Amino acid sequence: MTLSPITTQSPRGEGEGERDFQMKILSANFVKSAVEPSHYPAGTLPEIAFAGKSNVGKSSMINVLSQRKGLAKTSNSPGRTQLINFFNINDQFSFVDLPGYGYAKVPVAVRKNWGPMVETYLKERRELRLVIFIMDIRRNPDINDIKMLRWFDYYRIPYLLALTKIDKISRNQTVMRRRVILDSFKRPALTPVLFSAKTGAGRDELWGEMEKFIFEVRNNNR
Ligand code: GDP
């Protein structure tokens, strides 16, 4: 089958700062880990999933957004979490931490299972509203990142690209790296959120975007 490049990211652009939004977090709790659909939590809360390479800063982002330091485990040993982890936020929606990819030390059997596990979730989960697709702004997309983006397109899943760890480079480098990454994805028109878990940059902008998908958007394609 051919994978057609349909851009499902919501159009943003001029005046995007107007949507900045600070979500009030009243509760944030781990619900369960899952490998296959029968393990997914029952219920109908809308879901925001987080995807990206191991060590990209996914756990740190979830912790910053939820204002809970230890909600998603943060560590320097990438590849530790190889399951789909569900979190309940405010009893209103769920965060879904998809297992990171591309960590060489993960056993081959686990690595083989990663593709079907994540693809099944993306394909079948009706509660999924939006994927936050995280890239380290200092790294170029590799084959796994490009494959991930193609899944979003193919299954018509709305996604938002977040370029993280921007505190590690200068403003000029940020502009340059942003362009290189979008060009590598062949998506020059995407508007990524520039994020830092260290400084909190991009947090309110990210919430503003997520809020639209949690409370307003119903994706008729799924
Ligand atoms: P995960 O494997 O994708 O969940 O990545 P983690 O959240 O565990 O982060 C991996 C490493 O990157 C940790 O040492 C974090 O402290 C660090 N890190 C994550 N986000 C940022 C960021 O925005 N800025 C900086 N300077 N370090 C970060």
Side-chain angles (χ1 to χ4, degrees):
M1 63 194 167
T2 45
L3 299 173
S4 56
I6 306 154
T7 301
T8 47
Q9 181 168 0
S10 64
R12 305 191 306 123
E14 300 311 315
E16 66 202 48
E18 291 163 21
R19 299 293 303 180
D20 285 4
F21 174 82
Q22 179 59 63
M23 172 70 71
K24 200 168 168 60
I25 305 294
L26 303 171
S27 63
N29 300 302
F30 172 71
V31 178
K32 67 186 301 195
S33 298
V35 173
E36 56 181 57
S38 65
H39 306 154
Y40 300 165
T44 55
L45 294 181
E47 289 177 358
I48 304 277
F50 296 82
K53 195 181 272 121
S54 296
N55 214 30
V56 74
K58 193 156 48 67
S59 309
S60 304
M61 180 181 283
I62 291 172
N63 291 344
V64 165
L65 291 172
S66 63
Q67 298 162 20
R68 302 292 189 278
K69 275 193 175 145
L71 188 65
K73 291 194 180 93
T74 313
S75 80
N76 285 318
S77 62
R80 198 174 51 168
T81 41
Q82 290 297 317
L83 301 168
I84 301 176
N85 293 308
F86 292 82
F87 302 90
N88 177 307
I89 313 290
N90 289 355
D91 283 328
Q92 282 184 310
F93 54 93
S94 301
F95 276 176
V96 181
D97 185 3
L98 297 175
Y101 48 89
Y103 185 52
K105 287 189 189 163
V106 170
V108 176
V110 176
R111 241 184 292 158
K112 270 194 182 157
N113 198 28
W114 179 89
M117 176 166 55
V118 173
E119 189 176 10
T120 301
Y121 172 81
L122 295 175
K123 188 166 62 175
E124 296 189 7
R125 189 61 165 167
R126 298 192 64 80
E127 286 77 11
L128 177 60
R129 295 276 187 274
L130 175 71
V131 179
I132 308 298
F133 181 36
I134 311 165
M135 291 280 305
D136 183 329
I137 193 157
R138 300 166 302 167
R139 311 267 174 260
N140 290 339
D142 67 12
I143 184 69
N144 293 314
D145 298 312
I146 288 166
K147 189 167 150 188
M148 190 62 128
L149 204 95
R150 287 191 180 153
W151 276 347
F152 302 151
D153 286 338
Y154 186 73
Y155 294 116
R156 296 176 176 273
I157 296 163
Y159 65 89
L160 180 62
L161 181 63
L163 304 180
T164 194
K165 305 196 185 181
I166 61 163
D167 58 280
K168 289 197 180 250
I169 58 175
S170 70
R171 276 169 195 261
N172 282 345
Q173 286 174 308
T174 301
V175 173
M176 192 266 290
R177 290 295 312 154
R178 176 185 188 278
R179 192 168 53 230
V180 169
I181 291 170
L182 297 188
D183 286 349
S184 305
F185 277 128
K186 298 191 170 55
R187 299 288 193 286
L190 284 186
T191 313
V193 171
L194 304 174
F195 185 86
S196 166
K198 196 171 173 187
T199 67
R203 184 195 55 187
D204 294 350
E205 189 188 346
L206 205 43
W207 265 126
E209 291 301 316
M210 295 194 302
E211 177 244 8
K212 290 186 214 167
F213 285 85
I214 294 168
F215 299 116
E216 294 168 23
V217 173
R218 292 291 174 273
N219 187 348
N220 295 326
N221 292 328
R222 294 167 62 77

